[in-house]
Amino acid sequence: MPPKRKHSPDTTTTPHKRSQISNQLEYDDDQSSHFVASSANAWPSLSSYSYYAPSLHDRGSSQNSDSTSQIPYRLNPFNVASSTSALAILDLAIDEGTDLPKPLTATRDALQAVLRIVSVDAHNQGWARLTKMLQFHLDTVDNQLAKLGEDEDIDKAALPFDSTLKASLRSYASKLGGIHDLARKRNIDSEDTTGVFEESLRDLDEAFNQYASGLHRFVASVVDQMRDGLSLVDNAFLQKALSMNPNRAETINAYGVQHEQCIRGTRIKSLNSIRQWVDDEDSTNWMFCLLDFAGSGKSTVSKHMDLEWAMESRLMARFFFSRDTAETMGIKRFCSIVANAFASEDETFNTVMERFQKRKDYELLSFEQQFDGLIVGPLKALNRRAILVIDALDECDNEHGNRDKLLNIISTRLPLILHLRVFVTGRPERDIKQWAMTIVGVHCTNFLQLEGNHDDVGKYIRDRLSRFPSNLQAQVSQVVENAEGVFIWARIACDLLCKTVNKQALLRSLEKEVTLDHLYTVALEQSIPKDGHSRQAAVMVLEMILALQRPLSIAQLVRLSPNPDAVEAVVTSLSSILLYKGREDSIRLIHATLREFLTSRTKAGPWFIQLGPGHYTLACGCIDLLAGATREAQGQSSKSVIKYSWTSWGDHCENSNRKLGLNERIIEFIDTGYRYLLDDSIRALSDDFVAKMLYLCRVNMSPYITRTLLRRSLQWIRVCYYSSRVGRQFHGRIYFAIVD
């Protein structure tokens, strides 16, 4: 028998531990079950899930177990009465229940009551194993109730108690009652009930597995029924949307390639002010901070100056923050992206930077240390003017204090660098505005101060609506007035007015309320038919887009959607607020305020988007795609969406609602997953796949899933070890991840 590991905060793997591991990997299937139990001390939360196979100690000590089983014990009469009552209540809840949570709550109460009488005989190996089994069942039902409660908060209604599910739960309740009777019988006499006992254990576990699988399938079927209406989307809407010309946009990255330059003849005063500031060697202002409200065109100005300075061969770097991707909303790659931009233009900078990068641990250093080593140090070594553009500071995520770190380091490190000019834009949020106002040497301004009026927005609107019918030209001035200097409002309004047939009605709607939130509502109402199925399809597509780990194209998203036609139709019809170049280019929101609007129930009303259902749809899509993926995947979009699915399926599972509906899908997927991990073409993704699988165990998405995933992991160790060289290279990492 392999020695059991004692739990310790130290999770390092010593050579002695590795020798134990190599021996344990040679055990057979039954012994691997004991291996999970023996390693449970290193992972306490899993110790109660090892009941499903007798341990080696059980087998080697059968005589002791038999002798121990003859030791009589006494039960508390109150506990017996309590468990009898709980089982009776469970039977009643199953017979009369209409909502699923009520009989599950009764099941939990009955399990707790039976556990109190079963766990008394803790010295007997068999009954101790039963105690672990019942504890596992109790943990699973508790988890199911918690997940159903989360779903009820979203749906505002409990799931019904399905007749098929009722039958499986009644069967489990019957087996649980049999265990209860067996425990009471042992209290009356000490006769040997080993055969009956073992059979009762098998029947109880089989009944529980049937119930759990039935529950998972039922929850999944509820979601499928909710999505069935997607196939009934108005065909005329689909055909019209698919025939429209797509909007043009580029992919998203930290260089701001998704943004456009200023329209000719607009923002002239603002651009001239920025040019004068950056070229004024006598100016004491080392930073120009342009703070204005959402949609006013700050990123457009940043992109305009970025391209202009690049054309002039200035030494410059840029970072455009965006909430559309994890990379552009965080600071993890800020230092490397900025430093590489400077290094590509100056050899001295590159030399100093590479000297710092020779440290093998530089990527593990703090953000402040990397900023000093990659940016501040090399810039100080230069005797040359340099420019740093930082756009959309407000879109830098501050959930973990990232924005605070960046603001602090800009204000403390960059003023020390001679000849450096920093151009910053953002919304005037409280922390950003206070930060800008308290730094010495900062020119903080907005478009109204720079331009003196909103004439630029008026020029844009009049140019876009120049082909309006003559009888409506008089109302164009009203549109200009309603825009109030907000370019994004003007752009969406003009897009809608150019597409709509009933321009007069839309003009009246735009006059009711002049806010971006109202305009987003108008855009959605105008673009999507009012029938319920079309609205449902639009909400589903928006849920998916907002829940994505990174932007995908139409061609990629249709591979993950239960209704591919609806994806292209919805995205195309919403081209006034969703930007893309074509089927192969990433879809992005027109502005960060659109995400804020859609995810606020108060603002969005019937268009309110919850991310949980979007994660569920994407999780199903990723798993289904991978389960059916072949090595001969055709097309670049196919390869990229398969890679996305490999790296993102676990995250979508973790963040989805209806988690119970994913369990059977995950298990079926895991059963075939190792075949793909042996493929050299996806070897680089295998570690990530295994890590995601084990992470789902650690977050205890479901005790039922945890047990199943651990079983599959141990099977993979053997299969991969004996099947291929690639398998032998990563089987040990699976084990270390489980134990540590």
Side-chain angles (χ1 to χ4, degrees), residues 231-420:
S231 61
L232 302 175
V233 177
D234 182 21
N235 188 61
F237 162 61
L238 293 176
Q239 296 302 320
K240 178 181 177 181
L242 295 177
S243 65
M244 295 170 62
N245 291 325
N247 228 346
R248 296 186 61 85
E250 300 293 339
T251 54
I252 301 165
N253 64 22
Y255 272 36
V257 295
Q258 68 271 23
H259 297 299
E260 300 175 354
Q261 298 184 68
C262 295
I263 297 172
R264 185 178 181 87
T266 61
R267 298 301 188 208
I268 295 176
K269 294 180 180 179
S270 299
L271 297 175
N272 286 337
S273 296
I274 297 169
R275 296 183 185 109
Q276 183 179 357
W277 158 77
V278 80
D279 291 330
D280 187 359
E281 298 183 5
D282 297 327
S283 175
T284 58
N285 294 325
W286 60 276
M287 183 165 71
F288 191 109
C289 192
L290 177 57
L291 302 182
D292 217 318
F293 45 79
S296 56
K298 301 179 296 295
S299 295
T300 302
V301 169
S302 295
K303 187 62 180 177
H304 191 101
M305 296 309 306
D306 171 34
L307 294 175
E308 182 176 305
W309 288 328
M311 289 290 292
E312 296 172 356
S313 299
R314 306 265 191 141
L315 176 60
M316 66 166 299
R318 80 286 290 159
F319 196 100
F320 285 73
F321 283 101
S322 170
R323 294 194 182 103
D324 287 329
T325 70
E327 176 183 296
T328 56
M329 71 183 297
I331 60 173
K332 183 177 181 179
R333 296 199 59 210
F334 180 89
C335 295
S336 60
I337 289 175
V338 170
N340 287 333
F342 280 131
S344 65
E345 299 293 335
D346 189 280
E347 189 59 37
T348 302
F349 186 102
N350 187 55
T351 301
V352 179
M353 181 187 73
E354 288 181 342
R355 190 182 307 146
F356 174 77
Q357 289 176 327
K358 287 182 179 179
R359 290 189 55 162
K360 295 183 179 180
D361 65 342
Y362 87 92
E363 291 183 340
L364 302 177
L365 298 176
S366 68
F367 176 72
E368 291 79 7
Q369 290 173 304
Q370 289 191 39
F371 194 93
D372 286 339
L374 293 174
I375 299 174
V376 177
L379 281 176
K380 284 184 175 180
L382 304 180
N383 184 24
R384 180 180 175 185
R385 297 178 65 83
I387 305 170
L388 174 59
V389 176
I390 304 176
D391 181 68
L393 263 179
D394 57 286
E395 296 195 37
C396 176
D397 178 44
N398 203 31
E399 183 178 353
H400 303 292
N402 288 336
R403 189 161 77 198
D404 292 338
K405 287 182 183 178
L406 181 61
L407 294 179
N408 179 65
I409 206 166
I410 290 174
S411 60
T412 57
R413 303 290 207 280
L414 297 187
L416 305 177
I417 304 174
L418 297 176
H419 310 302
L420 176 66

Side-chain angles (χ1 to χ4, degrees), residues 576-617:
S576 59
I577 56 176
L578 298 178
L579 305 181
Y580 59 99
K581 183 177 181 179
R583 296 190 82 257
E584 301 294 336
D585 289 305
S586 300
I587 305 164
R588 68 183 181 93
L589 306 181
I590 192 170
H591 197 265
T593 52
L594 178 56
R595 179 183 293 273
E596 297 168 7
F597 165 78
L598 291 172
T599 54
S600 169
R601 188 186 297 273
T602 303
K603 294 180 178 180
W607 295 104
F608 172 58
I609 299 300
Q610 301 182 86
L611 298 184
H615 284 294
Y616 181 93
T617 302

Side-chain angles (χ1 to χ4, degrees), residues 430-697:
R430 168 170 285 191
D431 61 328
I432 297 176
K433 191 171 183 178
Q434 290 180 346
W435 166 80
M437 298 298 290
T438 56
I439 303 174
V440 177
V442 175
H443 176 53
C444 188
T445 185
N446 57 48
F447 281 124
L448 187 58
Q449 293 174 349
L450 292 170
E451 298 290 336
N453 53 53
H454 298 313
D455 290 348
D456 288 347
V457 178
K459 292 178 183 177
Y460 171 81
I461 294 173
R462 289 188 175 90
D463 181 67
R464 288 289 308 275
L465 304 182
S466 59
R467 297 184 180 181
F468 242 40
S470 57
N471 62 315
L472 296 179
Q473 280 295 327
Q475 294 179 265
V476 172
S477 298
Q478 185 62 47
V479 177
V480 174
E481 183 179 340
N482 291 342
E484 296 181 345
V486 181
F487 258 111
I488 197 69
W489 191 98
R491 175 175 180 169
I492 297 172
C494 290
D495 284 344
L496 292 173
L497 287 167
C498 290
K499 288 195 306 180
T500 188
V501 175
N502 193 344
K503 295 178 172 31
Q504 189 69 54
L506 180 56
L507 285 168
R508 288 196 299 268
S509 179
L510 294 177
E511 292 175 4
K512 291 180 181 178
E513 184 181 340
V514 187
T515 64
L516 272 176
D517 291 344
H518 175 67
L519 189 60
Y520 290 143
T521 302
V522 171
L524 290 163
E525 295 288 345
Q526 289 282 325
S527 303
I528 306 297
K530 291 181 171 52
D531 67 280
H533 299 306
S534 297
R535 294 293 174 95
Q536 185 183 4
V539 168
M540 182 206 70
V541 173
L542 289 171
E543 287 171 351
M544 294 176 68
I545 291 173
L546 267 62
L548 286 169
Q549 300 293 303
R550 60 176 175 81
L552 296 180
S553 67
I554 293 176
Q556 294 165 337
L557 204 58
V558 297
R559 299 287 303 276
L560 304 179
S561 172
N563 189 338
D565 288 341
V567 171
E568 188 159 4
V570 170
V571 172
T572 307
S573 64
L574 293 177
S575 59
S576 59
I577 56 176
L578 298 178
L579 305 181
Y580 59 99
K581 183 177 181 179
R583 296 190 82 257
E584 301 294 336
D585 289 305
S586 300
I587 305 164
R588 68 183 181 93
L589 306 181
I590 192 170
H591 197 265
T593 52
L594 178 56
R595 179 183 293 273
E596 297 168 7
F597 165 78
L598 291 172
T599 54
S600 169
R601 188 186 297 273
T602 303
K603 294 180 178 180
W607 295 104
F608 172 58
I609 299 300
Q610 301 182 86
L611 298 184
H615 284 294
Y616 181 93
T617 302
L618 290 168
C620 292
C622 289
I623 292 172
D624 292 347
L625 178 67
L626 293 176
T630 63
R631 300 181 185 185
E632 294 80 27
Q634 300 295 319
Q636 188 61 38
S637 63
S638 296
K639 294 178 181 178
S640 59
V641 76
I642 289 173
K643 182 176 181 180
Y644 176 89
S645 299
W646 274 113
T647 57
S648 302
W649 72 274
D651 295 317
H652 290 309
C653 287
E654 181 192 355
N655 293 304
S656 73
N657 72 330
R658 300 293 189 205
K659 288 185 174 65
L660 297 177
L662 292 172
N663 287 351
E664 289 300 310
R665 234 185 192 105
I666 293 174
I667 291 172
E668 292 174 3
F669 171 47
I670 296 293
D671 280 340
T672 58
Y674 71 86
R675 291 189 292 112
Y676 300 107
L677 296 183
L678 300 179
D679 186 348
D680 286 335
S681 66
I682 59 168
R683 178 178 171 184
L685 300 173
S686 61
D687 283 349
D688 187 77
F689 175 80
V690 175
K692 288 291 193 305
M693 183 188 72
L694 295 173
Y695 179 70
L696 289 179
C697 292

Side-chain angles (χ1 to χ4, degrees), residues 55-76:
S55 68
L56 293 178
H57 184 70
D58 294 340
R59 298 175 182 179
S61 308
S62 58
Q63 293 181 351
N64 292 338
S65 177
D66 291 341
S67 62
T68 304
S69 68
Q70 303 301 319
I71 299 175
Y73 68 101
R74 302 190 65 81
L75 296 176
N76 186 325

Side-chain angles (χ1 to χ4, degrees), residues 222-235:
V222 170
V223 180
D224 291 340
Q225 290 172 8
M226 294 168 61
R227 299 284 164 82
D228 282 345
L230 296 178
S231 61
L232 302 175
V233 177
D234 182 21
N235 188 61

